[in-house]
Amino acid sequence: SWNAIIKACASFTAASNRGLLAFGYSAATTGVAISNLTIRDLTLDGNDTNFTALTNLNVNPHGLRIDFVDSYSVMRVKAQNVLITAMLFKDSRKGTVTNNIIETAGFWTNGHGTEELNGISVYGATSGWNRETVVANNVIRNMKDEGISGSGVLETTVANNIASEFSNFAIEIT
């Protein structure tokens, strides 16, 4: 495992259809997990207007995707104009997602299910991983599906978030 802090004063703007930041994605097959990851004080712009004609369903253009990370913090990040889910946390544990702003995400419907059209999604299928997550004090506006979505989560707290302009629910936990 390794430790990382990602901090930027500038913005990241998508120049390809592969999304912006992804961590731990290969841990399911390699067995190598990331631990103690901090992402803070930056802007992620999915540049969605440049990719509306995209038809390749093998891409996952999330703003931020974290898989199999043990202990993470995402704070004061602005994610905007993202094709599918702005911030996706899958099979990770001991996370805090706080004081973020998410605007306009999830409007690319080229075959992706609605579970990938949210502001913040926390979900997992791996036993023992998706637990101890706090999603708090975030502002989420203009989502295709849910503001905050959770599935297969244990010991998760969702508190003091503001969600507006969404198609289904402000918060959906299943």
Side-chain angles (χ1 to χ4, degrees):
S1 70
W2 57 273
N3 302 321
I5 296 177
I6 308 298
K7 181 180 177 183
C9 295
S11 302
F12 291 97
T13 299
S16 78
N17 57 19
R18 291 287 183 181
L20 290 157
L21 295 176
F23 297 94
Y25 187 74
S26 63
T29 55
T30 65
V32 177
I34 295 172
S35 61
N36 302 315
L37 173 67
T38 300
I39 300 169
R40 67 177 188 223
D41 303 312
L42 56 90
T43 298
L44 304 172
D45 189 334
N47 196 13
D48 63 352
T49 57
N50 285 336
F51 303 111
T52 55
L54 183 65
T55 59
N56 183 352
L57 298 181
N58 294 318
V59 299
N60 290 293
H62 303 286
L64 170 65
R65 180 174 176 157
I66 291 180
D67 294 52
F68 293 98
V69 174
D70 189 5
S71 186
Y72 63 90
S73 176
V74 176
M75 67 182 100
R76 298 184 305 272
V77 172
K78 182 175 183 179
Q80 61 191 19
N81 308 318
V82 179
L83 286 172
I84 54 178
T85 294
M87 295 183 182
L88 174 68
F89 305 94
K90 181 181 175 198
D91 291 319
S92 295
R93 61 184 171 199
K94 301 176 190 166
T96 59
V97 182
T98 58
N99 301 304
N100 300 292
I101 297 172
I102 299 172
E103 294 181 348
T104 309
F107 285 91
W108 183 57
T109 56
N110 265 351
H112 281 276
T114 56
E115 72 279 357
E116 295 191 40
L117 304 175
N118 306 310
I120 297 172
S121 288
V122 180
Y123 76 97
T126 303
S127 178
W129 270 88
N130 215 15
R131 60 188 325 119
E132 301 173 51
T133 302
V134 175
V135 178
N137 303 313
N138 300 289
V139 176
I140 303 160
R141 291 187 286 268
N142 198 21
M143 300 302 113
K144 175 67 175 173
D145 200 26
E146 278 92 28
I148 299 169
S149 175
S151 177
V153 294
L154 301 170
E155 304 166 33
T156 295
T157 301
V158 177
N160 300 319
N161 297 284
I162 298 171
S164 62
E165 301 173 52
F166 45 86
S167 295
N168 283 327
F169 304 102
I171 300 170
E172 179 186 46
I173 307 294
T174 59

